Amino acid sequence: MELARKHWLLFLDKRSILSIRFFRSVSEVGGNGILRDSYDYTHLLEKCRGITELRVLHAQIITGGYGNNPYLAAKLMGNYMESGKPSMEDARKVFDHLLERDVFVWNMIIQGYAKSGPFEEVLNSFNEMCNAGITANKYTYTFVLKACGASKDVRNGQVIHGCVVKCGFDSNLFVSNALVAFYGKCQLMGLSRKMFEELPQRDVVSWNSMISSYVDNGYANEALMLLHAMLQDGTCVPDSTTLVSILPACARTSAIREGLWVHSYIVKSSMQLHAALGSGLMLMYANCGRLSTTKKIFYQISDRNIVVWSVMIRCYGMHGHADEALGMFAQLVENGLKPDGVIFLCLLSACSHAGKVAEGRKLFKQMDEYEVKKSDEHYACMVDLFSRSGLIDEAVEFVRTMPVEAGKDVYGALFGACRVHKHIEVAEEVAEKLFLLDSENAGRYITLAKMYEDAQRFEDAAWLRKLLREKKIRKPVGYSAVEVDYVLHTFGVEDESHPFKEQIFDTLEKLELVMEDQWTTIDPVAAVL
């Protein structure tokens, strides 16, 4: 028996399917009990990689009489949930087969649903657990809060928050971090910040959760301020997750100082420049106008996956380098990668801004060759491509013959082109659709009103502006930004909130006087000629 066990151990480093076949052949020997304990099954489970091999071993565990072993069941559930394509259905079968379930097993099934969905099953399982008399622990509440955040289920999430307080877990850092993230996911930033401020102590997860919440909800400046506060606090050192979270905020606000700090921190700490971190750096530098640095970082990333390639193509497109973007696409295909919908979206956008109609048409057809599903955004890019090139009739025909119903992005692209090329008849038809699909967007009404004014149709323009007031639809306040000594200053219309407003307005008045003096010394006729 010992000899057989040694032979079995020699096979552990082989592929999982070979191990299973070996186990099957040995276990069928003479009914002498060789290799039929949970220890052997545990080691085989550790070697399983594919879902097929896992199901074969699962069947052997059941026929071997170990289907109700809690430890093996937990291992099986974990393998099913962590396989290439998580199979919650198989994991649930293992769970349901168990006669006795402790809190650890309940947490596993709840965690699986929280990661893979459906999220409603998290709350169902949690309620079943409570009805079965099992007391939830800190991990249980964390998994349930994660699911509530992912589904933006505020009501049930706040019920769980009440349970957390009632059970005394509100002072637990692990659970409190989950509450910060939950409220952030539900876009309740006031409550998320309140939970963060009330933490008796903070670890790096606490800071990351709050920074990520700000970035995800569009509060880039607040995220950057929080990063500065984290560095001043000094109790936690930023990790890779911190940097991945803050880089989109740097890109959005073109905050080159913070972006350079992140890059230098990566270099000084010898941090691996993985795909997520490298992609964030690339976008940050591209948004700050440093395309050459973006290219250097692209080639420094060792694991250049499809996301990294899409970011590089996008960066070329946003800088108007459509030919380079198309060249990257050719390299991507040569490297054996299969382009996805994001890649084609970046390429079509690049072609649209560069007026490359023929190339855009070709790419749109290639999507079928690569079996990439065309979304509303892809159709909108094609409409924008035709419209920017002045092919309004072709754009209208494209929309009319679309195999799916056009959405607000498609009509929005066509509407914008009508404004540029003064096609008021088409604009009126498109506006009717947009007023239904995007009724709260004030820009649609204002654009059409301006077109009416340009066409001397002042009554129609006045009617539209009155409609805006009656519906109480407001256009978001626009602002300009200027960076001085690595600090970004923003200014809105008639904005008097800046601390140096008096000096700013005084300078503007002086500039206006200088411009008037300069204009009086110039011959107006000569200036026009």
Side-chain angles (χ1 to χ4, degrees), residues 504-515:
I504 291 169
F505 287 127
D506 183 56
T507 303
L508 286 172
E509 287 178 9
K510 289 177 179 177
L511 282 172
E512 190 175 352
L513 291 172
V514 171
M515 291 170 66

Side-chain angles (χ1 to χ4, degrees), residues 329 344 359 361-372:
F329 175 65
F344 279 105
E359 290 84 350
R361 280 200 185 100
K362 182 181 177 183
L363 285 165
F364 195 71
K365 290 178 181 177
Q366 279 184 300
M367 291 181 70
D368 295 325
E369 297 174 18
Y370 288 103
E371 298 178 343
V372 176

Side-chain angles (χ1 to χ4, degrees), residues 252-272:
R252 207 169 295 160
T253 58
S254 298
I256 188 66
R257 182 178 67 166
E258 285 79 3
L260 288 170
W261 179 88
V262 170
H263 196 178
S264 63
Y265 184 85
I266 293 169
V267 175
K268 288 178 181 178
S269 58
S270 300
M271 197 176 289
Q272 181 190 0

Side-chain angles (χ1 to χ4, degrees), residues 482-503:
V482 61
E483 187 174 328
V484 180
D485 295 331
Y486 296 106
V487 177
L488 193 72
H489 301 268
T490 58
F491 304 92
V493 178
E494 299 180 357
D495 186 1
E496 298 184 5
S497 61
H498 198 278
F500 300 117
K501 63 179 181 181
E502 292 180 3
Q503 294 93 319

Side-chain angles (χ1 to χ4, degrees), residues 84-104:
K85 284 188 175 180
S87 176
M88 284 307 300
E89 186 178 345
D90 288 313
R92 185 73 198 206
K93 287 177 183 177
V94 177
F95 177 81
D96 290 338
H97 190 73
L98 278 172
L99 297 177
E100 295 183 6
R101 303 164 189 152
D102 59 12
V103 67
F104 178 75

Side-chain angles (χ1 to χ4, degrees), residues 203-230:
D203 60 4
V204 69
V205 177
S206 312
W207 291 96
N208 290 349
S209 297
M210 195 67 243
I211 289 172
S212 180
S213 295
Y214 273 134
V215 174
D216 292 344
N217 287 288
Y219 296 95
N221 289 322
E222 286 79 359
L224 291 168
M225 289 170 63
L226 194 63
L227 174 66
H228 287 290
M230 178 185 185

Side-chain angles (χ1 to χ4, degrees), residues 43 59 81 109 124 158 196 204 269 311 333 346 350 442 492:
H43 278 280
M81 290 186 289
I109 199 69
N124 293 338
Q158 289 183 324
F196 177 79
V204 69
S269 58
V311 169
V333 175
C346 295

Side-chain angles (χ1 to χ4, degrees), residues 50-323:
I51 193 75
T52 304
E53 293 91 339
L54 187 57
R55 284 170 177 161
V56 171
L57 188 53
H58 184 185
Q60 289 188 6
I61 289 171
I62 293 173
T63 55
Y66 289 98
N68 273 304
N69 183 300
Y71 182 73
L72 279 179
K75 277 278 187 183
L76 267 172
M77 289 167 61
N79 280 28
Y80 277 127
M81 290 186 289
E82 293 170 9
S83 59
K85 284 188 175 180
S87 176
M88 284 307 300
E89 186 178 345
D90 288 313
R92 185 73 198 206
K93 287 177 183 177
V94 177
F95 177 81
D96 290 338
H97 190 73
L98 278 172
L99 297 177
E100 295 183 6
R101 303 164 189 152
D102 59 12
V103 67
F104 178 75
V105 177
W106 278 102
N107 282 349
M108 284 204 72
I109 199 69
I110 291 173
Q111 182 187 21
Y113 283 128
K115 286 175 66 176
S116 308
F119 297 124
E120 57 268 17
E121 284 300 320
V122 173
L123 287 167
N124 293 338
S125 299
F126 176 75
N127 290 331
E128 286 178 40
M129 175 183 172
C130 294
N131 293 334
I134 305 296
T135 303
N137 60 20
K138 62 180 182 180
Y139 301 105
T140 315
Y141 289 117
T142 302
F143 300 145
V144 177
L145 284 167
K146 179 181 178 181
C148 290
S151 59
K152 293 182 170 47
D153 189 347
V154 177
R155 190 180 68 83
N156 281 314
Q158 289 183 324
V159 170
I160 298 300
H161 188 175
C163 295
V164 165
V165 174
K166 185 177 179 181
C167 296
F169 283 118
D170 54 322
S171 59
N172 182 277
L173 183 60
F174 195 64
V175 179
S176 296
N177 288 340
L179 282 166
V180 172
F182 158 69
Y183 283 116
K185 292 285 185 185
C186 293
Q187 301 176 326
L188 299 171
M189 294 307 301
L191 288 172
S192 181
R193 186 62 189 248
K194 182 174 182 290
M195 293 302 307
F196 177 79
E197 294 294 342
E198 290 177 354
L199 289 173
Q201 61 180 18
R202 297 169 188 152
D203 60 4
V204 69
V205 177
S206 312
W207 291 96
N208 290 349
S209 297
M210 195 67 243
I211 289 172
S212 180
S213 295
Y214 273 134
V215 174
D216 292 344
N217 287 288
Y219 296 95
N221 289 322
E222 286 79 359
L224 291 168
M225 289 170 63
L226 194 63
L227 174 66
H228 287 290
M230 178 185 185
L231 296 173
Q232 290 172 1
D233 184 74
T235 56
C236 296
V237 178
D239 61 5
S240 177
T241 305
T242 315
L243 306 183
V244 171
S245 299
I246 200 64
L247 278 170
C250 298
R252 207 169 295 160
T253 58
S254 298
I256 188 66
R257 182 178 67 166
E258 285 79 3
L260 288 170
W261 179 88
V262 170
H263 196 178
S264 63
Y265 184 85
I266 293 169
V267 175
K268 288 178 181 178
S269 58
S270 300
M271 197 176 289
Q272 181 190 0
L273 194 63
H274 53 73
L277 200 53
S279 298
L281 276 175
M282 288 165 64
L283 270 177
M284 184 275 297
Y285 278 118
N287 275 26
C288 294
R290 304 191 178 190
L291 188 60
S292 59
T293 309
T294 300
K295 289 190 283 186
K296 289 177 183 177
I297 293 171
F298 173 78
Y299 289 109
Q300 289 173 6
I301 301 171
S302 55
D303 56 330
R304 289 195 291 272
N305 58 20
I306 197 73
V307 175
V308 177
W309 284 89
S310 68
V311 169
M312 191 66 247
I313 292 171
R314 177 185 171 188
C315 292
Y316 274 130
M318 72 168 69
H319 282 267
H321 299 286
D323 290 330

